[in-house]
Amino acid sequence: MIAPGRVVAAADLLIGGFLLATAALFAIAGPLAWPADPMAGSLLATLKAPGSAAVGAVHPLGTDQIGRDLLARIVRGTQISLAIVLVAGVLGAVLGTLLGLVAGYAGGVADAVIMRLVDIQLAIPFILLILLVMAVVGPGIVNLVVVLGVTGWAVYARTARARVLELREQEFVEAARAIGVSLPRMLGRHLLPNIMAPQIVLLTLDFPRLIVLEASVGFLGLGVQPPTPTLGNLIGDGRAFLLVAPWLVLYPGLVIAALVVGFNLLGDGLVRRMDARAR
Amino acid sequence: MIRFLVQRLGLSVIVLLGVSAIVFFALFLNGDPAALMLPPTASRAEIDAYRHAMGFDDPVLLQYFRYLAHAVTGDLGTSLRFGLPVTGLIAERLPATALLAVTALTWSTALGLALGVAAAVTRGTAWDLLVRLVALSGQAIPVFWLGLLLLLLFALRWRMLPTGGYGEARHLVLPAVALGAYYMSAVTRLVRVSLIEALGQDYVRTARAKGLSSSRVVLRHALRNALVPVVTVQAMQFASLLGGALVTEIIFAWPGIGRLAVQAIQNRDFPLVQAVVLLSACVFVAINLLTDIAYAVLNPRVRL
């Protein structure tokens, strides 16, 4: 018999995977299926409602205040937002996992220092710190990726360290230590492979936070600058036209919600899967 | 107990020192804080004069210690835009943010608890699935998007509530709903999972075997234990609550600290931004400290 937990895990994985695959397809194949230019506007087609045709072109999701096609802008925005979040997430995960490995294995002063840095990082509201740094270094995709990535390391360090503390006492680690394995080899070859899976699950569950964070920064106008669209700055720009053109806010938000639900379900499913295996 | 308190206090001080260093050195990320604080049209000579006047040409560590020394006496600098002490500006906006945050946390915790318990005791039924779906969508929707949708429907379309402002209860409704939705979902999910786990424990079986009513078992025995992680997580949420308040206050023109911070960033009023970050970290650290202490007092298994 299949345990009920397995069924729920499978359903979560399936629905989450489906949502994310759809979003990925939307971002990657979107420009091929819908070749409208996300940057080109027409003053004859400003603020057209979804589905309306203007100057010879149909706009399934309508147009914005300078007549740009919203569908094309959402496709481009999804690409950019997803790329930012994926790179930033991996950056934070790698950084945090490395520091967590060192803290857990080396112990002593290194451990104390790294863990205090974790506490410090977690005490500062992410969005405020990100806004402060973005205001100092200036907006831009690279700056945003670095800031989102570097500020996201703390949780990974905490979990990696906790795992390593358990592993450190196990026989294969003692054996490796006994034959005099070098520190980088110990961390990279013996400990890292054993903590990879939970760290990747954590990354999956961290993506929703990053998506919303990136969108919030974009919404407040300190992220990627217009005319380049992101899911957040599309909503920020559309806000002024909320009453006359609600679609400008509605559709980018739906994409954000789909991405967040997708990553959450996928992450939850992976957690259940791992728990089931651990039993 | 005393030892535990001293240790935790010491850690809190270290964390706050670290935060102050990050906040202080963030201004040096682009190389020249003087140029950063002046308008882009400022001439070379003006920037040099300003740098000297503000002490930015002193050794960086000296500047940091000066900043710290002022900070412990309650002087976090002067707003570049308003020309007033930043602490006063923040204190002025504090009640609005506190009101919004407390309202949002209260309704979201109450409803989240009710929904979480309801879902846990009806585990596997359609009702459970419905609650899970509501919780999942509540967590998926960004605060600012929900805020804009509420604004569109209740304020612009149906004209039931004001689009923004401060002072009366009706002004509070939309921002509090927008800000609380995420936490309501988070509490629901957490209570559900945590209560389901508690219900599987031996002491619950014992209580049932004793013949206690099932509502008594759930509410008195299982829920009490299930609440421990909920309280911890809610306290941890505080940092993100401020992030949510930031965008909520912008959308609903709520005169709180979040709006002050965003405007300060837009005006390049860095001393004000620094102070907001530092003070919110202080609140976060204080709340965590209190949670830890409450945790130790309430749960005899936590050793002191």
Side-chain angles (χ1 to χ4, degrees), chain A residues 129 132-133 136-137, chain B residues 21-30 36 274:
Chain A
L129 182 63
L132 172 64
V133 174
V136 174
V137 299
Chain B
I22 289 178
V23 165
F24 179 80
F25 290 107
L27 289 198
F28 292 80
L29 278 176
N30 80 337
L36 188 70
Q274 286 178 305

Side-chain angles (χ1 to χ4, degrees), chain B residues 227-238:
Chain B
L227 280 184
V228 175
V230 177
V231 171
T232 317
V233 170
Q234 280 297 84
M236 295 283 290
Q237 300 275 23
F238 187 82

Side-chain angles (χ1 to χ4, degrees), chain A residues 8 12 116 119-129 131-133 135-137 158 212 215-216 219-220 222 231-232 235-236 239 242-243 246 249-254 256-258 260-261 264-265 268 272, chain B residues 11 14-15 18-19 22-23 26-27 29-30 36 132 136 139-142 144-145 148-149 151-152 156-157 159 189 236 239 242-243 246-247 250-251 261-262 265-266 268 270 273-274 276-277 280-281 284-285:
Chain A
V8 181
D12 281 357
R116 289 300 78 72
D119 292 342
I120 292 166
Q121 175 72 65
L122 291 178
I124 310 177
F126 285 114
I127 188 154
L128 270 179
L129 182 63
L131 290 178
L132 172 64
V133 174
V136 174
V137 299
R158 209 172 242 183
V212 172
S216 306
F219 170 76
L220 293 171
L222 280 160
L231 293 173
I235 297 179
R239 189 183 149 216
L242 190 58
L243 186 60
V249 164
L250 205 60
Y251 294 114
L254 281 179
I256 296 177
V260 172
V261 172
N264 268 333
L265 285 175
D268 284 354
R272 286 214 184 79
Chain B
L11 282 182
I14 292 176
V15 167
V19 173
I22 289 178
V23 165
L27 289 198
L29 278 176
N30 80 337
L36 188 70
R132 280 192 66 201
L136 195 68
Q139 280 199 304
I141 299 174
F144 60 91
W145 192 57
L148 288 173
L149 290 190
L151 189 69
L152 175 64
L156 296 176
R157 284 277 159 84
R159 310 272 162 119
R189 293 184 78 179
M236 295 283 290
L242 202 110
L246 215 76
V247 284
I250 291 288
I251 291 172
V262 172
I265 286 170
Q266 282 159 353
R268 311 182 73 71
F270 288 100
V273 183
Q274 286 178 305
V276 173
V277 179
S280 48
F284 176 82
V285 167

Side-chain angles (χ1 to χ4, degrees), chain B residues 15 18 20-21 27 33 42 45 60 71 86 94 104 132 149 156 176 213 235 238 243 245 248 271 297:
Chain B
V15 167
S20 70
L27 289 198
V60 181
V86 290
L94 192 65
R132 280 192 66 201
L149 290 190
L156 296 176
S213 72
F238 187 82
T248 313
V297 172

Side-chain angles (χ1 to χ4, degrees), chain A:
Chain A
M1 205 185 100
I2 305 166
R6 300 271 306 259
V7 178
V8 181
D12 281 357
L13 288 176
L14 230 78
I15 302 172
F18 174 75
L19 277 173
L20 292 180
T22 313
L25 192 72
F26 179 72
I28 295 164
L32 303 173
W34 189 251
D37 185 346
M39 301 301 189
S42 158
L43 290 178
L44 291 171
T46 57
L47 296 175
K48 291 287 177 199
S52 58
V55 271
V58 182
H59 302 288
L61 298 184
T63 60
D64 68 5
Q65 69 278 16
I66 53 172
R68 292 173 295 197
D69 182 74
L70 184 61
L71 176 58
R73 287 186 70 72
I74 292 181
V75 168
R76 176 68 62 86
T78 308
Q79 289 174 352
I80 295 172
S81 288
L82 264 183
I84 290 172
V85 164
L86 290 178
V87 178
V90 171
L91 182 65
V94 169
L95 202 65
T97 305
L98 283 179
L99 286 169
L101 276 174
V102 172
Y105 188 72
V109 180
D111 184 25
V113 169
I114 292 173
M115 284 305 107
R116 289 300 78 72
L117 287 176
V118 167
D119 292 342
I120 292 166
Q121 175 72 65
L122 291 178
I124 310 177
F126 285 114
I127 188 154
L128 270 179
L129 182 63
I130 289 166
L131 290 178
L132 172 64
V133 174
M134 291 306 287
V136 174
V137 299
I141 293 187
V142 177
N143 289 349
L144 186 60
V145 167
V146 172
V147 174
L148 283 176
V150 169
T151 52
W153 67 285
V155 272
Y156 299 97
R158 209 172 242 183
T159 47
R161 171 180 177 271
R163 262 308 264 146
V164 169
L165 285 182
E166 283 170 30
L167 290 173
R168 209 167 61 166
E169 307 306 321
Q170 292 197 5
E171 279 159 14
F172 74 93
V173 176
E174 264 175 46
R177 204 180 306 144
I179 58 170
V181 161
S182 71
L183 182 70
R185 199 178 160 82
M186 174 66 96
L187 296 181
R189 287 296 295 273
H190 296 272
L191 294 174
L192 186 62
N194 281 295
I195 66 167
M196 274 300 263
Q199 295 296 94
I200 289 171
V201 174
L202 196 62
L203 178 61
T204 316
L205 286 170
D206 198 33
F207 279 131
R209 179 187 70 85
L210 286 167
I211 288 169
V212 172
L213 204 52
E214 189 272 328
S216 306
V217 176
F219 170 76
L220 293 171
L222 280 160
V224 177
Q225 295 298 297
T228 309
T230 65
L231 293 173
N233 75 19
L234 282 174
I235 297 179
D237 284 355
R239 189 183 149 216
F241 306 94
L242 190 58
L243 186 60
V244 285
W247 54 88
L248 292 176
V249 164
L250 205 60
Y251 294 114
L254 281 179
V255 178
I256 296 177
L259 288 172
V260 172
V261 172
F263 278 116
N264 268 333
L265 285 175
L266 191 72
D268 284 354
L270 289 174
V271 170
R272 286 214 184 79
R273 254 269 170 76
M274 282 205 316
D275 285 352
R277 205 172 287 168
R279 279 185 203 135

Side-chain angles (χ1 to χ4, degrees), chain B residues 3-303:
Chain B
R3 215 190 121 141
F4 168 78
L5 280 180
V6 170
Q7 228 169 25
R8 286 296 289 112
L9 268 174
L11 282 182
S12 303
V13 171
I14 292 176
V15 167
L16 286 180
L17 276 177
V19 173
S20 70
I22 289 178
V23 165
F24 179 80
F25 290 107
L27 289 198
F28 292 80
L29 278 176
N30 80 337
D32 187 0
L36 188 70
M37 292 192 189
L38 289 178
T41 50
S43 70
R44 198 67 248 169
E46 280 172 317
I47 293 176
D48 289 338
Y50 186 74
R51 183 183 302 121
H52 188 69
M54 297 295 285
F56 286 137
D57 45 2
D58 291 334
V60 181
L61 270 180
L62 176 69
Q63 291 185 53
Y64 173 61
F65 287 123
R66 196 160 53 204
Y67 177 75
L68 265 188
H70 284 160
V72 289
T73 60
D75 172 15
L76 291 175
T78 307
S79 160
L80 298 179
R81 183 173 171 84
F82 301 101
L84 296 166
V86 290
T87 40
L89 290 167
I90 293 171
E92 218 168 80
R93 306 290 194 99
L94 192 65
T97 297
L99 176 66
L100 178 61
V102 169
T103 314
L105 266 188
T106 310
W107 83 259
S108 62
T109 310
L111 190 62
L113 259 176
L115 286 177
V117 171
V121 296
T122 59
R123 187 185 182 192
T125 64
W127 169 248
D128 178 27
L129 191 72
L130 182 72
V131 172
R132 280 192 66 201
L133 270 177
V134 169
L136 195 68
S137 30
Q139 280 199 304
I141 299 174
V143 177
F144 60 91
W145 192 57
L146 180 62
L148 288 173
L149 290 190
L150 292 172
L151 189 69
L152 175 64
L153 293 179
F154 292 93
L156 296 176
R157 284 277 159 84
W158 301 331
R159 310 272 162 119
M160 290 162 67
L161 290 159
T163 56
Y166 176 67
E168 292 165 50
R170 60 199 182 99
H171 291 125
L172 183 59
V173 179
L174 291 181
V177 170
L179 183 56
Y182 176 88
Y183 302 97
M184 192 270 290
S185 311
V187 174
T188 306
R189 293 184 78 179
L190 203 62
V191 169
R192 178 182 171 275
V193 170
S194 169
L195 186 57
I196 284 176
E197 201 182 306
L199 285 173
Q201 301 288 322
D202 289 341
Y203 63 83
V204 168
R205 203 173 311 137
T206 312
R208 286 227 164 93
K210 281 199 306 190
L212 295 182
S213 72
S214 95
S215 63
R216 199 178 160 85
V217 172
V218 171
L219 296 179
R220 287 293 298 270
H221 292 251
L223 188 61
R224 273 178 91 164
N225 285 291
L227 280 184
V228 175
V230 177
V231 171
T232 317
V233 170
Q234 280 297 84
M236 295 283 290
Q237 300 275 23
F238 187 82
S240 71
L241 187 81
L242 202 110
L246 215 76
V247 284
T248 313
E249 290 181 3
I250 291 288
I251 291 172
F252 294 101
W254 188 262
I257 291 175
R259 188 146 157 263
L260 184 71
V262 172
Q263 285 168 344
I265 286 170
Q266 282 159 353
N267 294 331
R268 311 182 73 71
D269 192 346
F270 288 100
L272 187 49
V273 183
Q274 286 178 305
V276 173
V277 179
L278 194 60
L279 290 176
S280 48
C282 285
V283 175
F284 176 82
V285 167
I287 288 183
N288 267 308
L289 187 64
L290 291 176
T291 320
D292 274 4
I293 294 170
Y295 204 60
V297 172
L298 293 178
N299 189 345
R301 278 176 301 184
V302 177
R303 284 184 191 283

